[in-house]
Amino acid sequence: MAKQAGVAIGYLSERTGLAVSAIRYYEAQGLLEPWRNAGGQRRFHRADIRRLSFVMIAQQFGFSLPEIRSFLKDLPGGRTPTPEDWARISTGFRSHLDARIETLQKLRDNLDGCIGCGCLSLPKCKLYNPEDRAAQKGQGPRYLMGDSPKAQNEA
Amino acid sequence: MAKQAGVAIGYLSERTGLAVSAIRYYEAQGLLEPWRNAGGQRRFHRADIRRLSFVMIAQQFGFSLPEIRSFLKDLPGGRTPTPEDWARISTGFRSHLDARIETLQKLRDNLDGCIGCGCLSLPKCKLYNPEDRAAQKGQGPRYLMGDSPKAQNEA
DNA sequence: TCTTGAGCTAAAGTTAGGTTTAGAAATTAC
DNA sequence: GTAATTTCTAAACCTAACTTTAGCTCAAGA
């Protein structure tokens, strides 16, 4: 088989629009696993462009890097992912994504019947009910989109 | 007219589920304007429960505190907001919110035709096109949902 | 070969959105 | 009237997701 030369970090940066520092950071977060050349520089698969694209897209949907890492777990690290690989992971991703959109829509629908009618101050209002909210998460910024507190609360 | 005694911060905290510290923080961010009693303690309008509820809901939709502050600008600070006041601001809010949901749906639809077909690595892909992305925002965490970089880029 | 651009690491800095802590003063409860 | 709560402020701390800086090495072109 042909030797894989690999591409440098600057090339990935150019192709994805991400800062070089961001790509290094993603590696540190386990989203990518480049190898090193003789001189110690990172070398990436061309397919990592697509991998990074996926990361960026998932971020737009409000997923955290640990969550995205878990989506990517299903991608083969060693070989170039096939279209089938991508289809598989994007299917898993889509279900999370659909759930997220649905949550937003439900909230919006509630909003119509709730802010409109002025019931917002009542504890029975679904919209600000603690169960439905992002509260009780301890420190740090609250996650934004209203579901999957996973990482923290499974201890 | 009856004298407005106002409620204490702990009461608001109880009613909204927010931490006392969060309420003080929101005040510092200009989302609330309590007055002080003789002893220097904060006193709030009862209507601030609703105001805080609105803040929490808007946060679930991914709006930042500055954005939320601007939504609340339309609320009368001095008097207790009427249902009409709320209707007015929630209408403005809804249009932002609809836009946000629509963006998500568009992204999802693109995703079907894009990750599925493997085109993700191409610069023409709408999904990771820099224009459509959260990139180029300078420092700090990138905002999550893909639009309204407003605050930063109007200089 | 030499120079310049790209890459490397480790550590510190940044932003948003809060929480925690410490010590003091005001309120409430008994 | 005193004890127990709340509340106050200011400053430090926290997480996520990065960027910046400093000082150095590697690689590519003239």
Side-chain angles (χ1 to χ4, degrees):
Chain A
M1 342 202 154
K3 172 77 176 66
Q4 289 238 45
V7 301
I9 197 166
Y11 177 78
L12 273 194
S13 167
E14 233 175 70
R15 293 298 305 275
T16 60
L18 286 168
V20 164
S21 61
I23 298 175
R24 289 201 196 102
Y25 179 75
Y26 291 159
E27 180 193 357
Q29 301 310 301
L31 301 176
L32 244 73
E33 297 196 353
W35 66 97
R36 303 300 179 115
N37 72 359
Q41 299 194 349
R42 291 172 181 80
R43 291 300 173 233
F44 300 81
H45 296 286
R46 283 181 167 283
D48 286 336
I49 293 173
R50 202 169 293 176
R51 201 178 176 93
L52 286 176
S53 301
F54 181 81
V55 171
M56 294 187 292
I57 292 167
Q59 279 192 304
Q60 285 184 66
F61 283 102
F63 293 99
S64 67
L65 296 186
E67 283 171 327
I68 296 171
R69 181 176 50 206
S70 83
F71 293 145
L72 288 172
K73 269 282 167 58
D74 297 335
L75 263 191
R79 61 186 170 77
T80 299
T82 65
E84 286 73 34
D85 290 324
W86 279 111
R88 183 157 37 76
I89 97 152
S90 70
T91 297
F93 177 54
R94 266 220 46 164
S95 65
H96 282 261
L97 191 161
D98 285 340
R100 208 154 269 215
I101 290 181
E102 206 181 316
T103 299
L104 283 176
Q105 284 173 326
K106 259 190 215 136
L107 282 169
R108 176 180 61 181
D109 296 343
N110 281 349
L111 196 65
D112 285 340
C114 197
I115 283 192
C117 80
C119 77
L120 261 178
S121 63
L122 301 178
K124 64 181 162 61
C125 175
K126 274 260 178 78
L127 276 173
Y128 81 115
N129 185 329
E131 312 308 302
D132 296 358
R133 267 195 3 248
Q136 279 80 22
K137 276 283 312 301
Q139 305 162 313
R142 291 157 188 229
Y143 60 94
L144 293 181
M145 298 189 47
D147 70 5
S148 66
K150 273 180 218 119
Q152 255 67 10
N153 67 6
E154 57 190 15
Chain B
M1 336 197 159
K3 172 77 175 69
Q4 289 238 45
V7 300
I9 197 167
Y11 177 79
L12 273 194
S13 167
E14 233 175 71
R15 295 298 306 274
T16 60
L18 287 168
V20 165
S21 62
I23 298 175
R24 291 201 194 100
Y25 179 75
Y26 291 158
E27 180 193 356
Q29 301 311 300
L31 301 177
L32 245 74
E33 297 196 353
W35 66 97
R36 301 300 179 114
N37 73 359
Q41 298 193 352
R42 289 172 181 80
R43 291 302 172 231
F44 300 81
H45 297 286
R46 282 180 170 284
D48 286 335
I49 294 172
R50 201 169 295 178
R51 201 177 175 93
L52 286 176
S53 301
F54 181 81
V55 171
M56 294 188 290
I57 292 167
Q59 278 192 304
Q60 286 184 66
F61 284 100
F63 293 99
S64 67
L65 296 185
E67 283 170 327
I68 296 171
R69 181 176 51 208
S70 84
F71 293 144
L72 287 171
K73 268 283 167 57
D74 297 335
L75 262 191
R79 60 186 168 79
T80 299
T82 64
E84 286 73 34
D85 290 323
W86 279 111
R88 183 158 37 75
I89 96 152
S90 69
T91 297
F93 177 54
R94 266 220 46 164
S95 64
H96 282 260
L97 191 160
D98 286 340
R100 207 155 270 215
I101 289 180
E102 205 181 316
T103 299
L104 283 177
Q105 285 173 328
K106 258 190 217 137
L107 281 170
R108 177 181 60 181
D109 296 344
N110 281 350
L111 196 64
D112 285 340
C114 198
I115 282 192
C117 79
C119 77
L120 261 178
S121 63
L122 302 177
K124 64 180 162 59
C125 175
K126 274 261 178 75
L127 276 173
Y128 81 115
N129 184 329
E131 312 308 303
D132 296 359
R133 268 200 357 252
Q136 279 82 21
K137 275 286 311 302
Q139 306 163 313
R142 293 160 186 225
Y143 61 93
L144 294 181
M145 298 187 48
D147 70 5
S148 67
K150 272 177 218 122
Q152 254 68 11
N153 68 4
E154 59 191 15

